[in-house]
Amino acid sequence: DAGVTQSPTHLIKTRGQQVTLRCSPKSGHDTVSWYQQALGQGPQFIFQYYEEEERQRGNFPDRFSGHQFPNYSSELNVNALLLGDSALYLCASSVAKNIQYFGAGTRLSVL
Amino acid sequence: EDKVVQSPLSLVVHEGDTVTLNCSYEVTNFRSLLWYKQEKKAPTFLFMLTSSGIEKKSGRLSSILDKKELFSILNITATQTGDSAVYLCAVVLDTGANSKLTFGKGITLSVRP
């Protein structure tokens, strides 16, 4: 049984560009949450998707948007990249409000 | 504002030592507290605690929650080099239909041979 998978593993972009990160949840999971983890910090909640809708959002600007597909996979889009967006982006999946299981993340570097 | 504070932020011990990692919280709508171990990238789930005073145990690791004093501890006995990692504490906030995790900064544990 595959766990949570994220792609790509690493990404290098320049300021102003746009990026799309992808996440496939664990089999049987219907809820996907995205987190941003800066170096030396704990993960910060970006948003959560359930039934293809954004159910809750953290304190992130509108440049951060997402989508959930009918197969429960999800994308995170970030527009107009800033240097400060450099971080590890983690996706977590769960069955509704149960334990969240994390993927290995996408390391985004903005130059 | 919801807050989760972990201490100490880093710790260096020798193999065989016992360590205690602390997590305190000030949040609204508390549902449960989770501990994760993060070795390189993916945080891996260790424990979920919802009730005060009930110890969860898995091998050399154990954890307990005190909902009155708003803290949890994670104990690791007979530490091994493979225990070296960042240990993350997260509080689950029950906000209706959703559940988001609010994390502390993490505790970096280094176990020396």
Side-chain angles (χ1 to χ4, degrees):
Chain A
D1 175 29
V4 180
T5 57
Q6 293 187 241
S7 63
T9 53
H10 293 91
L11 208 47
I12 299 174
K13 292 285 188 179
T14 56
R15 278 180 298 174
Q17 285 189 309
Q18 178 263 341
V19 69
T20 298
L21 312 181
R22 295 177 175 83
C23 173
S24 292
K26 271 173 73 77
S27 176
H29 286 193
D30 56 11
T31 300
V32 172
S33 304
W34 287 92
Y35 295 83
Q36 180 195 65
Q37 187 176 23
L39 207 57
Q41 302 294 315
Q44 298 290 313
F45 176 76
I46 303 175
F47 41 54
Q48 184 178 83
Y49 278 86
Y50 174 70
E51 292 188 339
E52 302 180 51
E53 287 188 6
E54 181 184 293
R55 286 301 184 94
Q56 192 175 8
R57 188 178 184 91
N59 194 21
F60 279 80
D62 292 344
R63 299 186 297 108
F64 289 77
S65 63
H67 189 77
Q68 186 180 34
F69 298 94
N71 67 353
Y72 306 116
S73 67
S74 177
E75 288 182 349
L76 164 66
N77 300 294
V78 186
N79 293 323
L81 284 167
L82 304 174
L83 295 179
D85 295 331
S86 295
L88 179 67
Y89 288 85
L90 294 165
C91 168
S93 74
S94 60
V95 177
K97 296 197 286 186
N98 291 316
I99 297 164
Q100 293 184 24
Y101 293 89
F102 285 83
T106 294
R107 172 74 63 190
L108 173 64
S109 298
V110 182
L111 305 178
Chain B
E1 184 185 337
D2 298 320
K3 196 163 50 172
V4 178
V5 177
Q6 294 187 248
S7 65
L9 290 182
S10 65
L11 198 52
V12 180
V13 300
H14 288 96
E15 271 191 318
D17 288 349
T18 293
V19 297
T20 297
L21 310 181
N22 303 295
C23 176
S24 63
Y25 60 92
E26 290 179 33
V27 302
T28 54
N29 299 314
F30 175 88
R31 181 165 183 252
S32 58
L33 186 146
L34 280 72
W35 284 95
Y36 289 88
K37 177 183 181 182
Q38 187 174 29
E39 290 182 81
K40 293 212 174 151
K41 286 188 176 180
T44 54
F45 170 74
L46 295 175
F47 297 111
M48 181 172 75
L49 304 156
T50 54
S51 302
S52 265
I54 298 175
E55 185 182 50
K56 292 285 184 84
K57 200 167 168 63
S58 176
R60 297 176 295 103
L61 277 66
S62 64
S63 185
I64 198 160
L65 174 67
D66 186 327
K67 288 171 77 172
K68 183 180 175 187
E69 300 297 330
L70 308 182
F71 77 91
S72 173
I73 60 173
L74 174 67
N75 281 317
I76 309 175
T77 59
T79 52
Q80 302 171 356
T81 54
D83 296 326
S84 296
V86 175
Y87 289 84
L88 295 165
C89 166
V91 171
V92 182
L93 305 182
D94 195 351
T95 53
N98 316 308
S99 60
K100 71 170 197 176
L101 299 179
T102 298
F103 282 89
K105 286 188 175 182
I107 297 172
T108 301
L109 174 64
S110 299
V111 182
R112 301 276 165 85

mmCIF file of all heavy atoms in Angstrom, chain A residues 5-8 20-24 34 69 73-77 91 106:
data_model
loop_
_atom_site.group_PDB
_atom_site.id
_atom_site.type_symbol
_atom_site.label_atom_id
_atom_site.label_comp_id
_atom_site.label_asym_id
_atom_site.label_seq_id
_atom_site.Cartn_x
_atom_site.Cartn_y
_atom_site.Cartn_z
ATOM 1 N N THR A 5 2.267 10.262 -1.637
ATOM 2 C CA THR A 5 3.350 10.548 -2.573
ATOM 3 C C THR A 5 3.242 11.973 -3.092
ATOM 4 O O THR A 5 2.142 12.456 -3.386
ATOM 5 C CB THR A 5 3.345 9.566 -3.762
ATOM 6 O OG1 THR A 5 2.074 9.635 -4.417
ATOM 7 C CG2 THR A 5 3.580 8.142 -3.294
ATOM 8 N N GLN A 6 4.401 12.615 -3.173
ATOM 9 C CA GLN A 6 4.445 13.996 -3.637
ATOM 10 C C GLN A 6 5.437 14.113 -4.792
ATOM 11 O O GLN A 6 6.448 13.417 -4.827
ATOM 12 C CB GLN A 6 4.876 14.938 -2.519
ATOM 13 C CG GLN A 6 3.862 15.047 -1.401
ATOM 14 C CD GLN A 6 4.251 16.122 -0.396
ATOM 15 O OE1 GLN A 6 4.470 15.832 0.781
ATOM 16 N NE2 GLN A 6 4.335 17.367 -0.858
ATOM 17 N N SER A 7 5.130 15.027 -5.702
ATOM 18 C CA SER A 7 6.056 15.280 -6.804
ATOM 19 C C SER A 7 6.014 16.756 -7.181
ATOM 20 O O SER A 7 4.977 17.416 -7.003
ATOM 21 C CB SER A 7 5.678 14.422 -8.026
ATOM 22 O OG SER A 7 4.383 14.768 -8.506
ATOM 23 N N PRO A 8 7.143 17.307 -7.670
ATOM 24 C CA PRO A 8 8.453 16.659 -7.688
ATOM 25 C C PRO A 8 9.083 16.674 -6.289
ATOM 26 O O PRO A 8 8.515 17.231 -5.365
ATOM 27 C CB PRO A 8 9.232 17.551 -8.652
ATOM 28 C CG PRO A 8 8.631 18.902 -8.452
ATOM 29 C CD PRO A 8 7.170 18.684 -8.175
ATOM 30 N N THR A 20 3.569 24.499 -9.470
ATOM 31 C CA THR A 20 2.502 23.556 -9.112
ATOM 32 C C THR A 20 3.119 22.330 -8.485
ATOM 33 O O THR A 20 4.009 21.705 -9.071
ATOM 34 C CB THR A 20 1.679 23.143 -10.348
ATOM 35 O OG1 THR A 20 1.040 24.298 -10.897
ATOM 36 C CG2 THR A 20 0.619 22.117 -9.954
ATOM 37 N N LEU A 21 2.658 21.997 -7.296
ATOM 38 C CA LEU A 21 3.117 20.812 -6.577
ATOM 39 C C LEU A 21 1.960 19.818 -6.507
ATOM 40 O O LEU A 21 0.797 20.217 -6.397
ATOM 41 C CB LEU A 21 3.569 21.188 -5.161
ATOM 42 C CG LEU A 21 4.518 22.380 -5.026
ATOM 43 C CD1 LEU A 21 4.887 22.599 -3.568
ATOM 44 C CD2 LEU A 21 5.741 22.192 -5.872
ATOM 45 N N ARG A 22 2.291 18.533 -6.528
ATOM 46 C CA ARG A 22 1.256 17.505 -6.606
ATOM 47 C C ARG A 22 1.342 16.522 -5.452
ATOM 48 O O ARG A 22 2.429 16.254 -4.939
ATOM 49 C CB ARG A 22 1.352 16.770 -7.935
ATOM 50 C CG ARG A 22 1.060 17.680 -9.119
ATOM 51 C CD ARG A 22 1.217 17.000 -10.459
ATOM 52 N NE ARG A 22 0.799 17.903 -11.530
ATOM 53 C CZ ARG A 22 1.579 18.849 -12.054
ATOM 54 N NH1 ARG A 22 2.810 19.013 -11.613
ATOM 55 N NH2 ARG A 22 1.114 19.631 -13.014
ATOM 56 N N CYS A 23 0.187 15.968 -5.104
ATOM 57 C CA CYS A 23 0.095 15.061 -3.968
ATOM 58 C C CYS A 23 -0.934 13.982 -4.241
ATOM 59 O O CYS A 23 -2.067 14.284 -4.645
ATOM 60 C CB CYS A 23 -0.308 15.846 -2.714
ATOM 61 S SG CYS A 23 -0.655 14.831 -1.269
ATOM 62 N N SER A 24 -0.534 12.722 -4.009
ATOM 63 C CA SER A 24 -1.488 11.608 -4.065
ATOM 64 C C SER A 24 -1.651 11.049 -2.670
ATOM 65 O O SER A 24 -0.662 10.643 -2.045
ATOM 66 C CB SER A 24 -0.978 10.516 -5.003
ATOM 67 O OG SER A 24 -0.969 10.962 -6.326
ATOM 68 N N TRP A 34 -2.225 20.738 3.211
ATOM 69 C CA TRP A 34 -0.911 21.209 2.770
ATOM 70 C C TRP A 34 -0.281 22.061 3.871
ATOM 71 O O TRP A 34 -0.954 22.865 4.532
ATOM 72 C CB TRP A 34 -1.043 22.050 1.504
ATOM 73 C CG TRP A 34 -1.345 21.261 0.269
ATOM 74 C CD1 TRP A 34 -2.565 20.976 -0.251
ATOM 75 C CD2 TRP A 34 -0.381 20.670 -0.618
ATOM 76 N NE1 TRP A 34 -2.438 20.230 -1.412
ATOM 77 C CE2 TRP A 34 -1.109 20.043 -1.657
ATOM 78 C CE3 TRP A 34 1.017 20.613 -0.648
ATOM 79 C CZ2 TRP A 34 -0.484 19.364 -2.702
ATOM 80 C CZ3 TRP A 34 1.642 19.941 -1.682
ATOM 81 C CH2 TRP A 34 0.889 19.321 -2.693
ATOM 82 N N PHE A 69 -8.928 16.760 -6.797
ATOM 83 C CA PHE A 69 -9.579 16.085 -7.920
ATOM 84 C C PHE A 69 -10.505 14.971 -7.405
ATOM 85 O O PHE A 69 -10.422 14.577 -6.249
ATOM 86 C CB PHE A 69 -8.497 15.519 -8.848
ATOM 87 C CG PHE A 69 -7.620 16.583 -9.430
ATOM 88 C CD1 PHE A 69 -6.414 16.916 -8.816
ATOM 89 C CD2 PHE A 69 -7.997 17.282 -10.564
ATOM 90 C CE1 PHE A 69 -5.603 17.907 -9.335
ATOM 91 C CE2 PHE A 69 -7.198 18.272 -11.087
ATOM 92 C CZ PHE A 69 -5.999 18.599 -10.469
ATOM 93 N N SER A 73 -6.615 13.184 -5.214
ATOM 94 C CA SER A 73 -5.300 13.799 -5.327
ATOM 95 C C SER A 73 -5.458 15.317 -5.315
ATOM 96 O O SER A 73 -6.559 15.845 -5.497
ATOM 97 C CB SER A 73 -4.588 13.328 -6.599
ATOM 98 O OG SER A 73 -5.264 13.814 -7.741
ATOM 99 N N SER A 74 -4.336 15.994 -5.093
ATOM 100 C CA SER A 74 -4.428 17.437 -4.893
ATOM 101 C C SER A 74 -3.229 18.144 -5.503
ATOM 102 O O SER A 74 -2.170 17.548 -5.697
ATOM 103 C CB SER A 74 -4.508 17.737 -3.394
ATOM 104 O OG SER A 74 -4.528 19.126 -3.134
ATOM 105 N N GLU A 75 -3.423 19.401 -5.826
ATOM 106 C CA GLU A 75 -2.346 20.270 -6.292
ATOM 107 C C GLU A 75 -2.297 21.522 -5.422
ATOM 108 O O GLU A 75 -3.329 22.006 -4.954
ATOM 109 C CB GLU A 75 -2.583 20.706 -7.743
ATOM 110 C CG GLU A 75 -2.372 19.630 -8.766
ATOM 111 C CD GLU A 75 -2.578 20.144 -10.190
ATOM 112 O OE1 GLU A 75 -3.077 21.280 -10.362
ATOM 113 O OE2 GLU A 75 -2.260 19.379 -11.115
ATOM 114 N N LEU A 76 -1.069 22.016 -5.240
ATOM 115 C CA LEU A 76 -0.839 23.305 -4.601
ATOM 116 C C LEU A 76 -0.194 24.200 -5.646
ATOM 117 O O LEU A 76 0.810 23.825 -6.245
ATOM 118 C CB LEU A 76 0.071 23.137 -3.386
ATOM 119 C CG LEU A 76 0.731 24.393 -2.818
ATOM 120 C CD1 LEU A 76 -0.315 25.339 -2.244
ATOM 121 C CD2 LEU A 76 1.745 24.032 -1.733
ATOM 122 N N ASN A 77 -0.766 25.366 -5.884
ATOM 123 C CA ASN A 77 -0.218 26.337 -6.819
ATOM 124 C C ASN A 77 0.236 27.577 -6.067
ATOM 125 O O ASN A 77 -0.470 28.059 -5.171
ATOM 126 C CB ASN A 77 -1.282 26.749 -7.844
ATOM 127 C CG ASN A 77 -1.783 25.573 -8.645
ATOM 128 O OD1 ASN A 77 -1.048 24.968 -9.415
ATOM 129 N ND2 ASN A 77 -3.042 25.216 -8.439
ATOM 130 N N CYS A 91 2.547 17.531 2.151
ATOM 131 C CA CYS A 91 1.154 17.163 1.966
ATOM 132 C C CYS A 91 0.835 16.069 2.979
ATOM 133 O O CYS A 91 1.665 15.188 3.244
ATOM 134 C CB CYS A 91 0.958 16.648 0.542
ATOM 135 S SG CYS A 91 -0.608 15.847 0.241
ATOM 136 N N THR A 106 8.030 18.379 -1.034
ATOM 137 C CA THR A 106 8.714 18.975 -2.184
ATOM 138 C C THR A 106 9.552 20.123 -1.661
ATOM 139 O O THR A 106 9.029 21.029 -1.007
ATOM 140 C CB THR A 106 7.710 19.514 -3.220
ATOM 141 O OG1 THR A 106 6.982 18.425 -3.781
ATOM 142 C CG2 THR A 106 8.445 20.272 -4.316
#
